[in-house]
Amino acid sequence: MKQLQEKILTEGKVLSESVLKVDSFLNHQIDPALMQAIGEEFASRFADEGITKILTIESSGIAPAVMAGLVLGVPVVFARKRKSLTLVDDLYTASVHSFTKNETNDISVSKAFIGSEDVVLVMDDFLANGQAALGLVDIVEQADAALSGIGIVIEKGFQTGGNLLRGRGIRVESLAIVSSLEHGKVEFLEEEMVR
Amino acid sequence: MKQLQEKILTEGKVLSESVLKVDSFLNHQIDPALMQAIGEEFASRFADEGITKILTIESSGIAPAVMAGLVLGVPVVFARKRKSLTLVDDLYTASVHSFTKNETNDISVSKAFIGSEDVVLVMDDFLANGQAALGLVDIVEQADAALSGIGIVIEKGFQTGGNLLRGRGIRVESLAIVSSLEHGKVEFLEEEMVR
């Protein structure tokens, strides 16, 4: 998605060969117009899938997911990273390790909001090692729902998550796939430049 | 806001005389079309304020804030409840006690995203004791930015937050003000029923 790639090139900060910071439009400050364009792009790519629900994870997945949900006309559920006092019973839970934060969190989703009749689009802001996405897929499987695919805003193509998920036969659509952050420079996979 | 009140009456669950659960459309599952209507309502109420930025807090504030930001054409910044490894320097921080969760968190916002030139609309999903809103107002003051007001989706009018904030001369716009949750029944302030 060209508009997203240009935003990454203009505003993204390469902190190391593995860390791309996009706090100015996605992870801390949010650009609502860009989120709308992202939502429309995901809705377009998954238009014929009969999706009934989008599942994402707090916090940075929420904005793109809600915009995609608006266009697709379906509700969005965000998994919580820990239980709150008003949400303790009847949960699907999965364990997710974050290599960035070096910690493992339980994520949970109320059983009230995903069921066996659902066709679910999993969404997240970043795909790196794929742990968060796998946790969400785990929850879809626990719910006995159908998984339509995974929509990712930015995939770090040089990390293992994409292969891990695609190797399981899951359709993964990433709007920007970063192939390298070497020498402080963002490079994208060619096929994505063409799209 | 009538559409919101009807949603609360239809789907809200009164768990006690102080706890209203709206997990089916705001706090866990999100209704994107309702969020769009909420965003339009906030944008309309604050249309003439020259707002340059919306400040909210993860996670449930993000969806309504992004929709308001889309209509107003301004970026949204969400305060984080704890520091992440890629976001440690140059932060505004404030301490926020949650009576629901019985814990105190630091919230933080990067200094890069709010400055003295900004006119800020603070937004949140719920207003109860006002602690989260006060923390966000504290950050606006640290940034030496102008505070336009506070936009709240659901105010619990029988708790102290609304008086606390309005008593400081802050404009607080709540789209639904719950006056009572007694006997398992949601009642709204009359003025809001008329609007």
Side-chain angles (χ1 to χ4, degrees):
Chain A
M1 185 182 169
K2 196 155 182 54
Q3 181 184 354
L4 173 62
Q5 292 181 344
E6 284 168 359
K7 192 81 166 179
I8 293 168
L9 291 174
T10 314
E11 299 190 15
K13 289 182 181 168
V14 179
L15 297 191
S16 73
E17 291 193 357
S18 64
V19 178
L20 171 67
K21 188 171 169 177
V22 290
D23 273 0
S24 73
F25 62 89
L26 182 61
N27 294 133
H28 184 24
Q29 181 168 254
I30 299 169
D31 179 336
L34 179 63
M35 292 305 119
Q36 185 182 44
I38 284 170
E40 286 168 353
E41 178 68 24
F42 280 125
S44 162
R45 294 194 189 191
F46 289 95
D48 302 324
E49 296 286 320
I51 287 161
T52 63
K53 200 146 288 191
I54 294 172
L55 176 63
T56 186
I57 186 168
E58 62 182 354
S59 292
S60 296
I62 293 174
V66 168
M67 290 297 183
L70 184 68
V71 184
L72 286 168
V74 302
V76 172
V77 177
F78 64 90
R80 294 182 176 282
K81 282 180 183 159
R82 54 178 175 174
K83 299 171 190 177
S84 78
L85 292 184
T86 57
L87 185 80
V88 288
D89 299 327
D90 301 321
L91 299 175
Y92 304 116
T93 62
S95 214
V96 173
H97 183 73
S98 165
F99 290 92
T100 316
K101 297 183 179 175
N102 193 25
E103 62 185 24
T104 301
N105 283 298
D106 276 349
I107 64 170
S108 63
V109 171
S110 166
K111 291 183 180 174
F113 301 127
I114 300 190
S116 58
E117 72 287 1
D118 279 315
V119 179
V120 180
L121 170 61
V122 164
M123 281 183 61
D124 206 2
D125 57 334
F126 264 93
L127 174 61
N129 296 289
Q131 299 306 299
L134 280 175
L136 295 171
V137 168
D138 186 351
I139 285 172
V140 173
E141 288 169 352
Q142 289 177 43
D144 212 12
L147 176 68
S148 171
I150 301 178
I152 297 293
V153 180
I154 302 173
E155 176 178 344
K156 292 197 276 190
F158 53 88
Q159 290 186 258
T160 55
N163 282 343
L164 193 64
L165 295 167
R166 293 185 182 98
R168 289 181 55 171
I170 298 171
R171 178 182 174 193
V172 180
E173 291 282 341
S174 301
L175 303 194
I177 301 180
V178 175
S179 57
S180 164
L181 295 171
E182 286 175 15
H183 313 298
K185 190 169 175 304
V186 181
E187 294 192 12
F188 297 103
L189 272 195
E190 275 307 316
E191 58 173 338
E192 290 301 307
M193 281 309 248
V194 174
R195 198 183 266 272
Chain B
M1 185 181 168
K2 197 155 182 52
Q3 180 184 356
L4 174 62
Q5 292 181 344
E6 284 168 0
K7 192 81 167 179
I8 294 168
L9 291 174
T10 313
E11 298 190 14
K13 289 182 181 168
V14 179
L15 297 191
S16 73
E17 291 193 354
S18 65
V19 178
L20 171 66
K21 188 172 170 176
V22 289
D23 273 359
S24 72
F25 61 89
L26 181 61
N27 293 134
H28 184 24
Q29 181 168 254
I30 299 170
D31 179 336
L34 179 63
M35 293 304 119
Q36 184 181 42
I38 284 170
E40 285 168 354
E41 179 69 24
F42 280 125
S44 162
R45 294 193 189 191
F46 289 95
D48 302 325
E49 296 285 321
I51 287 161
T52 63
K53 200 147 286 195
I54 294 173
L55 176 62
T56 188
I57 185 169
E58 61 181 355
S59 292
S60 296
I62 293 173
V66 168
M67 289 298 182
L70 184 67
V71 184
L72 286 168
V74 301
V76 171
V77 177
F78 66 89
R80 294 183 175 280
K81 282 179 182 158
R82 53 178 176 174
K83 299 171 189 176
S84 78
L85 292 184
T86 57
L87 184 80
V88 289
D89 299 328
D90 300 320
L91 299 175
Y92 305 116
T93 62
S95 215
V96 172
H97 183 72
S98 164
F99 290 92
T100 316
K101 297 183 180 177
N102 193 26
E103 63 184 24
T104 301
N105 283 298
D106 277 350
I107 63 171
S108 62
V109 171
S110 166
K111 291 182 180 172
F113 301 127
I114 300 188
S116 58
E117 71 288 359
D118 279 315
V119 180
V120 180
L121 171 60
V122 164
M123 282 183 62
D124 206 3
D125 57 333
F126 264 93
L127 174 61
N129 296 290
Q131 300 305 300
L134 280 174
L136 294 171
V137 168
D138 186 351
I139 284 172
V140 173
E141 288 170 350
Q142 289 177 44
D144 212 14
L147 176 67
S148 170
I150 301 178
I152 298 291
V153 180
I154 303 175
E155 176 178 345
K156 293 197 275 191
F158 53 88
Q159 290 186 257
T160 56
N163 283 342
L164 192 67
L165 296 166
R166 293 184 182 96
R168 288 179 58 170
I170 298 171
R171 177 182 175 193
V172 180
E173 292 281 342
S174 301
L175 302 194
I177 302 180
V178 175
S179 58
S180 165
L181 294 172
E182 288 176 15
H183 313 300
K185 189 172 175 304
V186 181
E187 294 192 12
F188 297 103
L189 273 194
E190 276 305 316
E191 59 174 335
E192 290 300 308
M193 279 310 247
V194 174
R195 195 184 268 271

